[in-house]
Amino acid sequence: MNFRQRIAQFMYGRNGYDAFCQFLLLFAIFLILLSWVFSGIPALAMLMQVGEWAALGYCIFRMMSRNVLQRQQENAKYYEKRQAVGRWLRSLRDRWQQRKEYKFFRCPSCHALLRVPRGKGKLLLTCRKCGNRFERKT
Ligand SMILES: [Zn+2]
């Protein structure tokens, strides 16, 4: 049996490398870079080193784990969070791009985001989500 086959046999039935592992590795690398930046502050650098080892250890644990179902559920949760962050970043970008034509308000009762054209004076706004009405200057 050659080395590749031995590795394949060892990894059989284990979770292996997935997107959440990739994130943990990138997070560990980010902490390594950050600990270099803060090397002048030993307590902070040490805290980051603890974080590096925790992220690396958890990544290795997840790759070697035989509880594949549990690891897949964690990976799915990670995907959900990543998509939520992506949606939030896109909404920030859209608001920034539209800032000259539109004003954005939060509904005081349900916190939904409302987009209103600028320069229309005082308007009575109606929230599309909950129907709450409130006045704002555009
Ligand atoms: Zn509302």
Side-chain angles (χ1 to χ4, degrees):
M1 199 157 41
N2 67 28
F3 184 69
R4 278 185 87 101
Q5 285 170 323
R6 279 189 188 185
I7 293 284
Q9 193 184 39
F10 177 72
M11 289 307 291
Y12 182 77
R14 295 176 194 267
N15 186 55
Y17 186 72
D18 59 15
F20 189 34
C21 276
Q22 185 185 36
F23 168 78
L24 287 170
L25 277 181
L26 290 175
F27 183 67
I29 291 168
F30 171 74
L31 284 180
I32 289 168
L33 296 176
L34 218 58
S35 69
W36 284 344
V37 172
F38 291 107
S39 58
I41 310 164
L44 211 57
M46 198 163 113
L47 199 72
M48 278 161 199
Q49 280 172 356
V50 170
E52 288 158 33
W53 286 108
L56 281 177
Y58 189 46
C59 177
I60 291 167
F61 161 75
R62 293 191 75 258
M63 283 168 68
M64 297 301 143
S65 172
R66 289 184 193 274
N67 190 352
V68 176
L69 185 69
Q70 181 77 38
R71 302 290 91 78
Q72 283 176 345
Q73 284 169 349
E74 289 166 4
N75 202 37
K77 261 188 204 156
Y78 162 70
Y79 269 120
E80 271 172 36
K81 295 245 160 66
R82 197 167 86 171
Q83 282 179 337
V85 169
R87 275 195 301 273
W88 179 70
L89 287 175
R90 275 193 298 281
S91 105
L92 278 186
R93 184 202 60 197
D94 291 348
R95 285 173 66 174
W96 180 254
Q97 285 173 346
Q98 298 172 0
R99 72 191 183 281
K100 282 177 183 150
E101 297 97 59
Y102 296 97
K103 256 193 137 166
F104 294 86
F105 298 105
R106 288 258 172 222
C107 169
S109 77
C110 75
H111 303 291
L113 193 66
L114 280 81
R115 191 183 75 168
V116 183
R118 278 184 185 270
K120 303 283 181 195
K122 254 190 182 178
L123 289 179
L124 187 64
L125 308 174
T126 306
C127 174
R128 280 194 196 170
K129 201 171 164 193
C130 71
N132 179 36
R133 307 190 95 188
F134 56 99
E135 209 173 44
R136 287 289 184 275
K137 204 179 140 200
T138 62

